[in-house]
Amino acid sequence: MTAEETARRVAELKAERNAVILAHNYQIAEVQELADFRGDSLGLSQQAAATDADVIVFCGVHFMAQTAKLLSPEKTVLMPDPGAGCPMADMITPEQLRRFKAEHPGAPVVAYVNTTAEVKAESDICCTSSNAVQVVQSLDADTVLFIPDMHLADWVARHTDKQVIAWGGYCPTHVRINPDTVRYMQEQHPDAIFIVHPEARREVLDMADLVASTSGMAKFAHETDAREIIVGTEQGLVERLQVELPEKTFYIVPHTVCPNMKKTTAAKVLASLENMQYEIDIDPEIAERARRAVERMLEVS
Ligand code: 13P
Ligand code: SF4
């Protein structure tokens, strides 16, 4: 089937099923082209909560589709490839979180949305990369537990007056952004500015002109007068920006592919709509507690 045929069939099925396609900024181009909305974790959550579609086809990783289901429990949420997980989200289990809480009684738990619904259910409030500082600052506590990303936790600790006790998780893709590589790229492109995602390490964040979520970086890239930009995040976003802004030059930091974000294809999106697969299902008791943490986040965003 050609790309045009796939797109036509997807459009027909979307109308038949009253479906909407949401895609994360890291998705491959052919998937982003099918999407009704592309964005970062926060934007996608807000869209999932607001849409009046009956079906959401979520192109991203598992925790993102789960978050959509938490916010729209009456809707059918489908993932074209159910094997697209987030290794960082799997770095803390509910049992580990219960022990972490027991070691620090009274401290509220801030869960990065990159967590499972079961872990969110044990947490007080969620955050994303675009509102983590704001969420932590909003809490009426001097000490907070931050899970699972230790690098985002470190960034938050440096930008709030809270004591942040971090879990030791990390994003395998973003920790590969190496300060020596970035320095070399900056030497090679002295006029380029450097923007980066807060999942990268402190040494790398300290070299950046902007630290922001994926949509924050995209917005900045569109608005800046800079003509050359080194982008420290998953390369799917950088490839898209290069297409959107051909008059600017974007440099990809090497080794920045998230393999899970590449699992979804246009053919799988079509199969998802055709066969109504693969449905996200969350235990109602877990969902109710997890939803509270996500909704609390949306209240302060
Ligand atoms: P954003 O919310 O900034 O899009 O980040 C999601 C993510 O998984 C980054 O690795
Ligand atoms: Fe998870 Fe990192 Fe992939 Fe984002 S880039 S989905 S944090 S593994």
Side-chain angles (χ1 to χ4, degrees):
M1 205 182 258
T2 64
E4 290 72 31
E5 284 163 352
T6 304
R8 203 172 319 115
R9 188 70 191 123
V10 164
E12 281 165 14
L13 284 166
K14 259 178 36 180
E16 243 170 67
R17 312 244 191 252
N18 188 25
V20 69
I21 300 177
L22 306 184
H24 186 262
N25 288 321
Y26 293 159
Q27 292 290 291
I28 62 174
E30 64 179 33
V31 172
Q32 295 209 18
E33 277 158 24
L34 294 176
D36 298 288
F37 179 84
R38 300 169 306 185
D40 63 4
S41 304
L42 179 63
L44 291 165
S45 310
Q46 287 164 333
Q47 286 293 318
T51 180
D52 56 10
D54 296 318
V55 177
I56 297 173
V57 179
F58 203 103
C59 305
V61 290
H62 194 253
F63 76 81
M64 296 178 176
Q66 271 194 332
T67 306
K69 180 70 183 173
L70 291 175
L71 290 167
S72 290
E74 73 296 348
K75 297 189 170 85
T76 302
V77 178
L78 305 173
M79 259 190 102
D81 187 325
C86 167
M88 184 208 282
D90 295 330
M91 287 182 188
I92 186 163
T93 65
E95 185 47 41
Q96 286 173 317
L97 176 53
R98 281 191 285 271
R99 281 205 297 271
F100 193 40
K101 290 198 299 190
E103 285 161 18
H104 304 282
V109 177
V110 181
Y112 191 25
V113 277
N114 301 39
T115 42
T116 62
E118 289 77 7
V119 165
K120 287 185 178 73
E122 296 285 336
S123 304
D124 294 284
I125 187 166
C126 286
C127 73
T128 72
S129 62
S130 62
N131 62 16
V133 168
Q134 201 184 339
V135 164
V136 169
Q137 197 55 52
S138 77
L139 295 173
D140 184 19
D142 295 329
T143 302
V144 304
L145 306 184
F146 193 101
I147 60 162
D149 186 4
M150 61 176 160
H151 300 294
L152 182 59
D154 180 57
W155 174 254
V156 166
R158 293 203 282 158
H159 292 85
T160 61
D161 55 18
K162 310 289 183 190
Q163 196 205 341
V164 178
I165 304 177
W167 188 255
Y170 57 89
C171 164
T173 301
H174 284 86
V175 296
R176 283 199 297 269
I177 301 175
N178 182 302
D180 293 334
T181 308
V182 174
R183 202 165 298 113
Y184 176 76
M185 293 174 80
Q186 287 177 319
E187 281 162 14
Q188 294 297 304
H189 309 291
D191 295 331
I193 53 165
F194 174 48
I195 63 178
V196 70
H197 194 276
E199 288 173 11
R201 294 184 262 156
R202 179 193 276 225
E203 309 91 283
V204 174
L205 302 190
D206 285 346
M207 299 167 77
D209 298 286
L210 174 81
V211 176
S213 77
T214 55
S215 289
M217 285 188 273
K219 184 170 182 288
F220 179 83
H222 276 265
E223 291 171 0
T224 181
D225 290 333
R227 312 293 294 173
E228 292 180 78
I229 309 174
I230 302 167
V231 188
T233 196
E234 210 281 335
Q235 64 184 58
L237 174 71
V238 199
E239 287 158 3
R240 185 185 108 202
L241 289 174
Q242 189 61 82
V243 173
E244 285 175 359
L245 298 164
E247 69 285 7
K248 297 182 182 175
T249 305
F250 292 89
Y251 301 107
I252 292 174
V253 179
H255 312 300
T256 46
V257 171
C258 170
N260 285 286
M261 282 286 183
K262 306 300 174 207
K263 288 185 175 167
T264 306
T265 59
K268 290 182 194 174
V269 173
L270 175 55
S272 176
L273 276 165
E274 248 161 9
N275 308 320
M276 295 296 279
Q277 66 194 26
Y278 295 88
E279 197 170 339
I280 299 288
D281 188 25
I282 308 172
D283 174 271
E285 186 269 330
I286 301 274
E288 193 177 324
R289 290 189 288 134
R291 185 177 309 119
R292 270 205 298 272
V294 180
E295 282 175 350
R296 270 191 76 191
M297 166 185 85
L298 294 179
E299 282 160 23
V300 294
S301 298

